[in-house]
């Protein structure tokens, strides 16, 4: 019997090792798997490489993970905003590495990893520092930059509902990076608002099929393994 339900958020992230590359869903706070991030902080893994659209908001969620000095490098498209003071202080102090990637390229690099694509040419970034050291090519009169896929050891994402097979549906803009991140990681852990019975999800509404999800945990599950 396939049953991917984890008993707690602590149990779901227990085997994430030091140095892991982790995709974390969310666009700002929308779709951010806060319970899983808090469990990861408590778990203690460090020297992590984090891939996210931004670099944290305020002092919670991803920002709290940065504040705990657990992240060695972050790959994102929007590292600075009004409340990104944690990242800003770490970066200015030379305590975190930043790989800046335009948002469209970031999404496509993640999608490419899940689709088995070895690389792709994008015009975004050509002629800027973002293209330094990368192969470029003239295609149909336009310059392009070769971008590489972003593979990950784990993906932490948030969905609305999920079942024990790992099928997921999302709520509005909270969907953002979740579906492509689920495809690009060796192990995808989904925090859901509610675990539903098999057959309760309309097959036509399932966005991420269970084949891409290894663990499902209800976000308010007790934080005891």
């Amino acid at each position: 019997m396939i049953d991917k339900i984890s008993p707690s958020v602590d149990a779901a992230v227990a085997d994430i090792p030091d140095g892991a590359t982790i995709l974390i869903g969310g666009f700002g706070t929308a779709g951010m798997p806060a319970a899983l991030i808090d469990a990861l902080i408590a778990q203690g893994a460090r020297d992590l490489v984090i891939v996210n659209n931004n670099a944290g908001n305020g002092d919670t969620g991803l920002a709290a993970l940065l504040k705990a000095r657990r992240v060695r490098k972050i790959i994102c498209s929007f590292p600075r905003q009004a409340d990104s003071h944690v990242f800003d202080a770490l970066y200015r102090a030379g305590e975190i590495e930043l790989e800046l990637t335009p948002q469209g390229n970031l999404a496509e690099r993640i999608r490419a990893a899940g689709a088995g694509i070895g690389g792709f040419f994008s015009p975004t970034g050509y002629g800027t520092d973002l293209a330094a050291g990368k192969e470029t090519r003239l295609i149909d009169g336009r310059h392009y930059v070769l971008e590489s896929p972003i593979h990950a050891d784990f993906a932490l994402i948030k969905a609305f509902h999920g079942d024990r097979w790992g099928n997921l549906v999302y709520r509005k803009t909270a969907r953002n990076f979740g579906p492509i991140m689920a495809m690009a990681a060796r192990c995808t852990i989904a925090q859901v608002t509610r675990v539903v019975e098999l057959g309760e999800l309309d097959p036509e509404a399932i966005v991420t099929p269970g084949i891409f999800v290894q663990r499902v945990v209800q976000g308010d599950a007790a934080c005891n393994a």
Side-chain angles (χ1 to χ4, degrees):
M1 182 180 70
I2 298 175
D3 189 352
K4 300 179 180 179
I5 305 301
S6 291
S8 69
V9 288
D10 287 351
V13 303
D15 62 344
I16 296 179
D18 293 350
T21 297
I22 306 174
L23 301 165
I24 297 182
F27 192 89
T29 57
M32 181 180 68
L36 288 174
I37 296 173
D38 289 346
L40 181 60
I41 295 171
Q43 186 255 36
R46 57 185 64 251
D47 294 323
L48 303 171
V49 176
I50 298 298
V51 184
N52 186 262
N53 182 64
N54 64 4
N57 302 84
D59 294 284
T60 62
L62 178 55
L65 184 65
L66 298 180
K67 191 173 184 178
R69 303 296 201 278
R70 303 293 175 73
V71 180
R72 174 180 63 82
K73 175 181 178 180
I74 188 164
I75 303 172
C76 69
S77 68
F78 191 59
R80 296 196 63 194
Q81 55 215 9
D83 60 351
S84 61
H85 53 269
V86 172
F87 168 80
D88 192 64
L90 291 172
Y91 185 73
R92 290 178 184 275
E95 296 181 14
I96 192 170
E97 181 183 348
L98 169 66
E99 182 179 330
L100 186 63
T101 303
Q103 185 170 278
N105 285 0
L106 178 68
E108 187 65 5
R109 289 178 67 190
I110 297 168
R111 192 197 71 81
I117 296 172
F120 62 93
F121 284 95
S122 169
T124 306
Y126 179 81
T128 73
D129 289 344
L130 296 179
K134 298 180 180 179
E135 179 184 341
T136 61
R137 187 172 296 185
L138 183 66
I139 303 174
D140 292 333
R142 191 174 187 185
H143 292 283
Y144 289 80
V145 180
L146 179 63
E147 296 288 349
S148 59
I150 299 176
H151 296 275
D153 302 301
F154 291 85
L156 307 183
I157 64 173
K158 182 180 179 181
F160 188 39
H161 292 160
D163 61 27
R164 65 175 174 84
W165 283 359
N167 297 310
L168 305 176
V169 297
Y170 301 82
R171 185 176 186 274
K172 300 181 179 180
T173 56
R175 173 173 173 171
N176 51 70
F177 285 87
I180 57 173
M181 286 184 170
M183 297 173 64
R186 293 183 179 89
C187 178
T188 294
I189 306 171
Q191 171 191 325
V192 299
T193 303
R194 186 165 71 93
V195 175
V196 301
E197 296 296 325
L198 289 180
E200 190 171 337
L201 299 178
D202 179 356
E204 297 296 328
I206 291 172
V207 177
T208 298
I211 192 172
F212 297 117
V213 179
Q214 283 66 50
R215 300 169 195 167
V216 175
V217 61
Q218 192 157 309
D220 58 358
C223 293
N224 294 308

